[in-house]
Amino acid sequence: MACGFRRSIASQLSRVLDLPPENLIKSISAVPISRKEEVADFQLSVDSLLENNNDHSRPDIQIQAMRLAEKLKCDTVVSEISTGQGTVNFKINRELLTKTVLQQVIEDGSKYGLKSELFSGLPPKRIVVEFSSPNVAKKFHVGHLRSTIIGNFIANLKEALGHQVTRINYLGDWGLQFGLLGTGFQLFGYEEKLQSSPLQHLFEVYVQVNKEAADDKNVAQSAHEFFQRLELGDMQALALWQKFRDLSIEEYMRIYKRLGVHFDEYSGESFYREKSQEVLKLLDSKGLLQKTLKGTAVVDLSGNGDPSSICTVMRSDGTSLYATRDLAAAIDRMEKYNFDKMIYVTDKGQKKHFQQVFQMLQIMGYDWAERCQHVPFGVVQGMKTRRGDVTFLEDVLNEIRLRMLQNMASIKTTKELENPQETAEQVGLAALIIQDFRGFLLSDYQFSWDRVFQSRGDTGVFLQYTHARLHSLEETFGCGYLNDFNIACLQEPQSVSILQHLLRFDEVLYRSSQDLQPRHIVSYLLTLSHLAAVAHRTLHIRNSPPEVAGARLHLFRAVRSVLANGMKLLGITPVCRM
């Protein structure tokens, strides 16, 4: 973004430093706003220019910065040049800054920040993102919620940057648990309960049969035999399995709709039960498969028998395992999508599993294994509903909606809403997502309902409140003011701080695109909301001269537009009333 200002500064630097402007653009950054003082708009880190210089006796950075600043001149774009700690600072002509930023935000709309020179020359890629991936019959727990919202964010961001994204939900729909479930349903299952509440009923059956199997070897044996029947293609066993899968997906889709999440493909481990046999043959033909005394098949990734590098790929009865099916899935997706990047979003407990899968792909001769990436995340602790521990994602969504409705009912400023249930759910989801995305994805964190729903401070409720309030301004004063607009009326410190912050949006998007961490965008949007709150208190529209009112309305409209863009990338639906 930075509205071409970065390029203009780079052009002047390029003439002085005799370097191509493209080499300089990423060294010029918008300066974060400061509460204590007015800051310049851009700065060049002199250190970053010298990074490629192998001369270890390089002169003092401060002297370098001062020498460089002396060679540069102010022009129609840059009104002031100064130096900081190892930096050269540039202040942009204030009227040009105001006009260009506001114009660009309105013109670019949802693409603001994405058309930046930081992203220029970025070729569109084919990207596969595998996320959510609950296990049919096991509880859709909070870890799956994290995978769902993180994966959705990554897919949204990649799509916004112009890449072709395929969103895959790879269900845990195969494996020994289906032996248990098939046996359990024959013992304890009820067709009516399965039809009315499939996830709940299958979970109850699964818990019950696990207890029985622990005490009764016959039940455990029946489960084993049922899974073998599945693997061998027994029609009766497959028909029951298919019913479990179809009913579960139907219910998942209803829950995903509430979350605002969609998938291009519902895949699953079951798709690869045959192809995993081909993987085993390929491993064997390359001399990588080793049989153990127990009759299982393993791959030694260390080549020297290191136990921590041994990966089991087949059970003693010849049935496949999770790792084998993941190998088959990766090979199949490469053939189907010819991806440039495939991203797996799962908890950090699966880190070793994916390292082994990627390593096996490499030694099988698939060079594209280096295009595969695991994005791990930490554990959420302490998420309970009023009824106790969370079993299903739906429990969380219902609890969010209920608590948010109670909060909204107790606040005097709450507007009359057409659909309070829907608004409560959207605000509650924003609260949940912001709490989750504020820190590093890899960090574990303690969940707190009280903190989630605070309307002040750095919360999702505050973001939604800010968006609704700014939307209300536009509704109240209409668009008439927007025609009568004088940029000279936006020179107050509060206005300048907002404009400077809007300048940085592209850098924040760029940073998130590099490390796939949403926290950069979250932090940016919270600061933008705090700046808007201060400006709303001091820059009044009512009773101001028309040209002043018009200019301020333009500014608030730009803030709301960028706020909405950022929230949508995070997977939040902005509300217009609350």
Side-chain angles (χ1 to χ4, degrees), residues 30-41 43 94 492-502 504 527 530-531 534:
V31 180
I33 54 144
S34 163
R35 288 181 183 172
K36 296 174 191 158
E37 55 188 326
E38 190 186 331
V39 292
D41 303 307
Q43 64 183 26
R94 282 290 165 256
E492 307 89 347
Q494 299 91 329
S495 304
V496 173
S497 288
I498 287 176
L499 292 163
Q500 287 178 315
H501 196 59
L502 292 175
R504 293 187 60 233
T527 301
H530 286 298
L531 290 171
V534 171

Side-chain angles (χ1 to χ4, degrees), residues 167-377:
R167 301 158 185 251
I168 295 181
N169 196 343
Y170 182 66
L171 299 172
D173 64 355
W174 202 251
L176 204 49
Q177 81 254 35
F178 281 92
L180 282 160
L181 199 59
T183 300
F185 193 74
Q186 287 163 348
L187 291 170
F188 320 112
Y190 293 95
E191 189 60 35
E192 318 83 75
K193 284 187 178 180
L194 180 66
Q195 294 295 336
S196 63
S197 185
L199 295 180
Q200 181 69 40
H201 187 50
L202 288 176
F203 177 62
E204 286 164 359
V205 167
Y206 186 68
V207 169
Q208 201 168 349
V209 74
N210 259 303
K211 279 182 191 161
E212 295 289 328
D215 299 333
D216 186 341
K217 283 184 180 173
N218 292 332
V219 174
Q221 184 59 33
S222 298
H224 205 80
E225 285 165 9
F226 190 96
F227 182 53
Q228 272 188 304
R229 282 166 57 202
L230 278 175
E231 287 256 297
L232 294 167
D234 177 88
M235 296 306 286
Q236 206 179 349
L238 280 172
L240 187 60
W241 167 83
Q242 190 69 50
K243 187 196 285 187
F244 294 162
R245 188 181 192 278
D246 292 348
L247 288 168
S248 296
I249 287 180
E250 218 173 281
E251 199 164 344
Y252 285 141
M253 285 174 85
R254 191 174 54 74
I255 295 167
Y256 290 130
K257 193 176 177 186
R258 285 179 71 178
L259 277 169
V261 171
H262 73 275
F263 293 93
D264 301 301
E265 182 184 302
Y266 279 86
S267 170
E269 293 180 62
S270 61
F271 284 48
Y272 301 105
R273 59 184 191 271
E274 285 164 22
K275 288 187 176 175
S276 60
Q277 295 304 319
E278 292 167 28
V279 167
L280 291 170
K281 282 177 194 164
L282 186 58
L283 285 165
D284 201 20
S285 70
K286 289 183 178 286
L288 298 166
L289 211 58
Q290 298 174 15
K291 280 278 174 73
T292 67
L293 293 171
K294 291 179 184 173
T296 59
V298 299
V299 175
D300 177 10
L301 293 165
S302 66
N304 59 20
D306 175 3
S308 66
S309 298
I310 286 175
C311 184
T312 307
V313 288
M314 188 184 78
R315 287 193 183 87
S316 55
D317 61 4
T319 55
S320 60
L321 280 138
Y322 183 47
T324 335
R325 297 191 284 270
D326 260 356
L327 289 169
I331 295 163
D332 179 59
R333 288 172 194 170
M334 190 61 196
E335 286 169 7
K336 191 172 175 182
Y337 298 112
N338 190 23
F339 56 78
D340 298 297
K341 191 86 178 166
M342 178 155 65
I343 298 166
Y344 296 84
V345 184
T346 74
D347 67 80
K348 61 186 178 185
Q350 295 197 46
K351 190 177 175 186
K352 186 181 177 185
H353 164 76
F354 282 108
Q355 281 172 347
Q356 291 189 330
V357 167
F358 301 160
Q359 215 176 327
M360 273 192 280
L361 287 168
Q362 284 278 13
I363 62 175
M364 287 165 81
Y366 295 115
D367 293 341
W368 49 260
E370 63 192 22
R371 301 182 202 174
C372 299
Q373 179 185 0
H374 177 217
V375 175
F377 55 81

Side-chain angles (χ1 to χ4, degrees), residues 479-506:
C479 294
Y481 276 114
L482 292 172
N483 305 325
D484 202 355
F485 169 46
N486 180 356
I487 47 174
C489 300
L490 287 177
Q491 300 309 314
E492 307 89 347
Q494 299 91 329
S495 304
V496 173
S497 288
I498 287 176
L499 292 163
Q500 287 178 315
H501 196 59
L502 292 175
L503 264 186
R504 293 187 60 233
F505 191 48
D506 64 339

Side-chain angles (χ1 to χ4, degrees), residues 1 11 25 86 114-115 126 136 146 156 161 199 204 230 263 288 307 316 354 378 402 418 430 443 455 493 496 537 563:
M1 190 54 271
S11 297
I25 278 172
L114 297 162
K115 292 182 172 183
R126 289 179 297 276
V136 176
R146 282 208 91 183
N156 288 347
L161 290 168
L199 295 180
E204 286 164 359
L230 278 175
F263 293 93
L288 298 166
S316 55
F354 282 108
L402 179 69
E418 279 176 31
S443 303
S455 56
V496 173
R537 284 196 299 272
L563 188 57

Side-chain angles (χ1 to χ4, degrees), residues 75-127:
D75 53 21
T76 52
V77 175
V78 177
S79 63
E80 200 177 294
I81 298 169
S82 60
T83 57
Q85 281 296 109
T87 62
V88 178
N89 304 329
F90 303 88
K91 185 176 176 180
I92 303 298
N93 172 309
R94 282 290 165 256
E95 289 201 3
L96 184 64
L97 175 79
T98 309
K99 182 183 176 184
T100 315
V101 171
L102 295 185
Q103 209 171 330
Q104 197 114 38
V105 172
I106 304 307
E107 276 176 18
D108 289 353
S110 63
K111 291 284 176 197
Y112 178 76
L114 297 162
K115 292 182 172 183
S116 165
E117 55 266 38
L118 294 177
F119 298 111
S120 64
L122 194 72
K125 293 183 175 176
R126 289 179 297 276
I127 296 172

Side-chain angles (χ1 to χ4, degrees), residues 24 56 86 101 136 147 323 334 424 429 553:
L24 297 164
H56 294 293
V101 171
V136 176
S147 173
M334 190 61 196
L429 276 173
L553 203 52

